[in-house]
Amino acid sequence: MIGLGAGRLDRVAAVGAHCDDIAIGAGGTLLTLCQARPGLRVDALVLSGGGGEREREERAALAAFCPDADLRLTVLKLPDGRLPAHWEEAKTAVEELRERTDPDLLLAPRTDDAHQDHRGLAKLVTTAFRDHLVLGYEIVKWDGDLGRPTAYQPLAPETAERKVRLLQEHYPSQRHRPWYDREAFLGLARIRGIECHARYAEAFAVTKLTLNLGD
């Protein structure tokens, strides 16, 4: 396995259809990035959950997942599970995100995610961010849609443990879900770690990647 760096990262963007998507799919990667680069700008967009408990959870959680970062979070109020019916609003939100940031890296759902909201957002991202490195994160669910990732971010054991702890701490509204537990999150990270010769890792889908190996 070959490791390639992305060069210096000054700006990162992250998008989620729901509050907790970003943290579940890429929380360990955000912790790793922000700890390595204090002052990193992180522009985050979440399409649903605004105006209530879910938004409060999300703001506290992403602040914890992005320590010492310049975090700019927008949480909208689109109805959960209805993104196709609110396509124009979602598209406008993604385009507005693009207008205010030119990220070195974008974290987004996978285009083949089984959840229609995740999948729809992923497709919008590919049209608005055409010349950016986009890593499609994975979220374990009953659909059984986990595939074969093409990119991995190894996580230090303490980072993997911290991710799980923060997920449990900051999203109490989700604790009743049968898949929302330490075993699920750490178990997937362990499997992805095995696949990239690390203890733990987060895995991503990459649909297009431009190399610059001559500089």
Side-chain angles (χ1 to χ4, degrees):
M1 177 172 291
I2 298 175
L4 294 176
R8 178 168 178 80
L9 295 177
D10 295 313
R11 294 189 176 202
V12 173
V15 297
H18 317 101
C19 296
D20 78 18
D21 284 356
I22 296 170
I24 291 174
T29 297
L30 284 174
L31 283 169
T32 301
L33 283 168
C34 293
Q35 289 169 349
R37 298 169 176 84
L40 177 71
R41 175 168 167 175
V42 179
D43 289 273
L45 169 67
V46 180
L47 296 182
S48 64
E53 177 190 14
R54 295 287 276 145
E55 178 175 353
R56 290 191 291 272
E57 289 180 344
E58 186 75 342
R59 291 193 177 279
L62 288 190
F65 275 103
C66 301
D68 299 318
D70 178 10
L71 174 63
R72 307 180 187 194
L73 171 61
T74 300
V75 183
L76 303 183
K77 299 180 180 181
L78 300 188
D80 188 352
R82 298 290 186 270
L83 187 147
H86 296 267
W87 190 258
E88 287 301 322
E89 295 166 81
K91 180 177 175 62
T92 297
V94 173
E95 290 174 344
E96 289 176 348
L97 174 67
R98 175 65 185 93
E99 289 174 1
R100 63 178 178 266
T101 186
D102 185 24
D104 304 302
L105 169 65
L106 176 61
L107 302 167
R110 297 178 297 124
T111 56
D112 58 351
D113 192 296
H115 194 297
Q116 62 182 1
D117 290 356
H118 300 172
R119 187 171 62 251
L121 175 56
K123 292 178 178 178
L124 286 172
V125 163
T126 60
T127 63
F129 293 85
R130 294 180 178 271
D131 300 312
H132 298 80
L133 175 59
V134 180
L135 298 183
Y137 56 73
E138 57 184 356
I139 297 178
V140 64
K141 62 180 77 67
W142 72 272
D143 305 82
D145 64 348
L146 298 180
R148 298 186 64 179
T150 50
Y152 297 84
Q153 172 58 54
L155 303 178
E158 57 270 23
T159 301
E161 292 281 358
R162 185 177 179 186
K163 172 185 175 178
V164 173
R165 185 172 66 253
L166 291 177
L167 286 172
Q168 293 291 344
E169 176 182 345
H170 287 289
Y171 296 104
S173 68
Q174 303 304 299
R175 292 175 190 158
H176 68 284
R177 300 185 181 276
W179 54 268
Y180 197 93
D181 59 31
R182 171 186 169 82
E183 289 179 300
F185 298 134
L186 210 55
L188 180 59
R190 179 69 185 107
I191 290 171
R192 297 316 190 197
I194 291 171
E195 294 173 349
C196 68
H197 296 166
R199 181 66 185 174
Y200 298 106
E202 286 178 338
F204 303 90
V206 180
T207 55
K208 187 179 290 187
L209 174 65
T210 300
L211 299 176
N212 184 15
L213 302 179
D215 291 342

